[in-house]
Amino acid sequence: MLVSSSQRLTFSTEDAAAQTVADLILATIRDIAEPVLGLATGATMEPVYGHLVAAYKRGDVSFARCTTFNLDEYVGLPAEHPGSYRSTMNNLFFDHVDIDKSRTFLPDALQDPTDVIGEVYERKIEEAGGIDLQLLGIGRNGHIGFNEPGSAKDSRTRLVELHAETLEANARFFTDRPVPAYAVTMGIGTILAARQIVVLATGSGKADAVFHATNGNFDPACPASALLEHCNVKWVLDTAAARLKSAA
Ligand code: GLP
């Protein structure tokens, strides 16, 4: 059954969309005593973290009360590799604000055996009280986190193999080696358990995925379409990503 009450907010520039997402995160931090944020990576998110850091530098916010869980991490990359999502988050956000780094979590993709990583991560999220706001980008093929097409709607944090399209799209972040072929990602079910979801999509390259995700029912070929079944989702778009009309 569809219980979707998604909201679609469209802005004329990428930056206005990113500012709106940053404002939604700041509002959550102001409203909740111990906010738990689900964070995302990808080039789309860079201006969001820029706005959050700027708000901190202006003295408008403290991140000291926050706990964060990132969606995903590559397998087999040392944390200090510039392509790892740990490095990315440190460089873009954590190193510039007053967050307690011991409460910033990413799947521990160096842990072995890999099949326990998911359980450990799910337990940590549960112990933190669940995710108040999950930030999401979307892949051109409709992936969320690293849940590639074909992922089950009730999937949980697990090891996944990345599709060729995703490896190609993310090659721009790796200069010294190929993109790792495996990652650990929160599942679609993990994402749907968040109390609020904010998706940011900008640029015409995302228009097809946004259309597919918001126009119809859940289609395993477009993992983001699972969001139709969540009761509190905001799609924040620029006009290029929103150019195909949908029902959202
Ligand atoms: C990666 C991340 C996703 C992200 C996607 C889109 O695959 N795992 O969480 O949404 O890239 O990234 P970009 O914003 O660079 O297009």
Side-chain angles (χ1 to χ4, degrees):
M1 186 188 61
L2 293 187
V3 290
S4 175
S5 66
S6 69
Q7 230 188 321
R8 184 180 169 108
L9 307 167
T10 304
F11 297 87
S12 55
T13 64
E14 256 183 64
D15 193 58
Q19 177 71 68
T20 298
V21 169
D23 289 345
L24 289 167
I25 294 170
L26 295 174
T28 298
I29 294 170
R30 284 182 196 120
D31 287 353
I32 296 177
E34 294 191 349
V36 179
L37 304 173
L39 298 179
T41 47
T44 312
M45 298 302 148
E46 291 177 13
V48 174
Y49 296 123
H51 287 300
L52 293 179
V53 170
Y56 170 72
K57 292 202 165 144
R58 284 196 305 271
D60 291 349
V61 64
S62 165
F63 294 95
R65 293 178 286 108
C66 296
T67 300
T68 67
F69 290 92
N70 265 76
L71 282 165
D72 43 20
E73 180 59 287
Y74 290 111
V75 168
L77 276 188
E80 57 281 4
H81 188 282
S84 78
Y85 286 160
R86 165 54 77 186
S87 288
T88 305
M89 290 306 299
N90 285 349
N91 294 338
L92 290 174
F93 185 32
F94 300 148
D95 282 347
H96 309 288
V97 298
D98 62 345
I99 202 159
D100 174 356
K101 268 214 198 148
S102 69
R103 280 164 47 199
T104 64
F105 299 101
L106 289 92
D108 180 3
L110 288 176
Q111 193 181 312
D112 201 36
T114 42
D115 58 357
V116 302
I117 300 172
E119 280 169 44
V120 170
Y121 206 57
E122 293 281 337
R123 205 176 321 123
K124 269 191 205 154
I125 294 173
E126 207 181 297
E127 282 165 9
I131 291 173
D132 292 304
L133 182 152
Q134 178 65 57
L135 177 60
L136 282 185
I138 184 169
R140 283 169 188 246
N141 63 1
H143 73 242
I144 48 176
F146 271 135
N147 292 282
E148 297 280 28
S151 299
K153 212 166 47 181
D154 60 356
S155 51
R156 290 283 169 168
T157 307
R158 69 207 184 285
L159 178 71
V160 291
E161 185 170 8
L162 304 181
H163 288 194
E165 207 177 340
T166 301
L167 296 177
E168 199 182 303
N170 289 355
R172 66 206 144 116
F173 298 109
F174 289 83
T175 49
D176 63 329
R177 52 155 292 156
V179 183
Y182 291 88
V184 176
T185 182
M186 279 187 200
I188 297 178
T190 322
I191 291 167
L192 291 177
R195 289 181 273 280
Q196 185 187 171
I197 296 176
V198 176
V199 194
L200 175 62
T202 55
S204 60
K206 300 292 173 71
D208 282 336
V210 169
F211 179 77
H212 198 166
T214 55
N215 199 26
N217 295 322
F218 173 63
D219 176 356
C222 180
S225 63
L227 303 175
L228 285 162
E229 298 184 20
H230 192 279
C231 61
N232 187 356
V233 182
K234 287 185 178 64
W235 284 85
V236 183
L237 308 170
D238 68 353
T239 40
R243 78 187 148 82
L244 303 172
K245 279 285 159 246
S246 84

